[in-house]
Amino acid sequence: MTALKNNKEEVDYDKIKKEESDKLVKNCRKPEGDLGEKMIKRMNKSHEKLAQWGVSHLNICPDDIILDIGCGGGVNVKRFSSMSKNKIYGLDYSKKSVEESIKYNSEGIETGQVEILEGSVSNIPFEDESIDIVTGFETIYFWPDLKEDLKEIKRVLKRDGAIFICNEEVNDGHIEERLGERMKLLDMYVPSEDELGQMLADTGFKDVTTFTKANTKWVCAIGRKE
């Protein structure tokens, strides 16, 4: 234990450092305040290669309307706005994420192509069958009720519309060894590749396909609405 002693108190700097680290990590789930802004900027950079790999499996047409759930700092919203000429939406339940995503996509918002909304995957603020593609990058770990939330996504998708999920972590049987403490801290659920695909199939999605990247824990899944 690293401590500084004096006549009145003992300061445990190791404990303080851990508490500060835990606060930063908790902002992975719902970014807030200055620490949330710091985490968002970190994730924008650290998730870029994952996002590029994942999107390479997704067929996007110029007229697709896309909704990115858990849009974070808005990097993927901006990416999609360059791939489709139609409307691109970002949705996040973190007010800080919405603020940062709006900043990052200011140009698209000014032209009217991009819109960022505060809201939950459990109650998506769109009409039935109004979206062509719904995406989720590094976010399903934290959804309140994954099975019901997938049904809510299915509701807003057009017929033959696609759901796309992309995760940096997959449960390969050793997840507790790698992320046990962090999973408890964040109350996060990490499905295996088979579980992810099966959940989409059980929700009624067709043509479900999953992909993994060699020598990583990266996984993505795609399904289409009947």
Side-chain angles (χ1 to χ4, degrees):
M1 179 177 70
T2 301
L4 175 65
K5 294 183 177 180
N6 56 36
N7 294 332
K8 294 183 178 180
E9 63 180 353
E10 179 179 285
V11 180
D12 187 341
Y13 287 111
D14 287 342
K15 182 179 179 181
I16 292 173
K17 186 175 181 180
K18 185 180 185 306
E19 289 175 349
E20 290 176 345
S21 177
D22 286 350
K23 287 179 181 179
L24 181 61
V25 169
K26 286 181 180 180
N27 274 275
C28 289
R29 184 181 183 99
K30 188 176 184 180
E32 295 178 333
D34 292 339
L35 282 179
E37 183 176 343
K38 183 178 180 180
M39 179 57 72
I40 289 169
K41 291 179 179 178
R42 177 184 294 185
M43 291 189 293
N44 278 355
K45 294 180 179 179
S46 64
H47 294 163
E48 180 58 22
K49 290 183 179 179
L50 170 73
Q52 290 180 9
W53 169 80
V55 172
S56 71
H57 298 93
L58 187 60
N59 182 30
I60 297 176
C61 298
D63 60 346
D64 280 338
I65 299 172
I66 303 173
L67 167 63
D68 185 38
I69 293 178
C71 62
V75 170
N76 289 304
V77 170
K78 191 168 187 177
R79 188 190 321 278
F80 293 141
S81 69
S82 69
M83 300 174 76
S84 172
K85 296 182 180 180
N86 214 329
K87 194 80 173 185
I88 310 297
Y89 296 98
L91 180 71
D92 205 296
Y93 79 150
S94 160
K95 183 177 181 180
K96 174 57 69 173
S97 291
V98 170
E99 291 173 356
E100 293 302 311
S101 192
I102 288 174
K103 292 177 187 177
Y104 197 82
N105 289 275
S106 58
E107 185 176 340
I109 292 172
E110 288 178 6
T111 64
Q113 183 190 14
V114 172
E115 187 172 347
I116 309 296
L117 305 169
E118 185 177 349
S120 169
V121 63
S122 300
N123 187 21
I124 302 173
F126 289 92
E127 296 180 356
D128 295 358
E129 300 186 358
S130 57
I131 306 294
D132 293 294
I133 299 174
V134 173
T135 63
F137 294 84
E138 285 283 275
T139 182
I140 68 166
Y141 313 126
F142 312 120
W143 289 0
D145 188 332
L146 187 49
K147 291 183 179 179
E148 291 301 314
D149 296 337
L150 288 174
K151 292 178 183 178
E152 176 68 354
I153 289 174
K154 187 179 178 185
R155 177 187 69 79
V156 302
L157 278 174
K158 297 179 182 179
R159 292 188 179 279
D160 205 38
I163 180 174
F164 172 80
I165 303 297
C166 189
N167 288 350
E168 190 175 36
E169 279 290 344
V170 65
N171 190 341
D172 59 354
H174 303 284
I175 191 71
E176 288 290 339
E177 299 171 24
R178 295 197 310 276
L179 295 177
E181 185 175 345
R182 178 168 290 195
M183 288 172 66
K184 292 178 182 178
L185 183 64
L186 292 172
D187 188 24
M188 63 187 289
Y189 167 65
V190 183
S192 68
E193 181 181 1
D194 288 343
E195 287 173 331
L196 182 56
Q198 191 61 53
M199 280 188 289
L200 294 183
D202 290 346
T203 309
F205 288 101
K206 63 179 182 178
D207 302 330
V208 176
T209 309
T210 60
F211 304 89
T212 55
K213 182 175 173 59
N215 302 316
T216 74
K217 306 303 178 187
W218 297 359
V219 61
C220 68
I222 301 172
R224 292 197 170 271
K225 181 176 177 177
E226 291 279 4

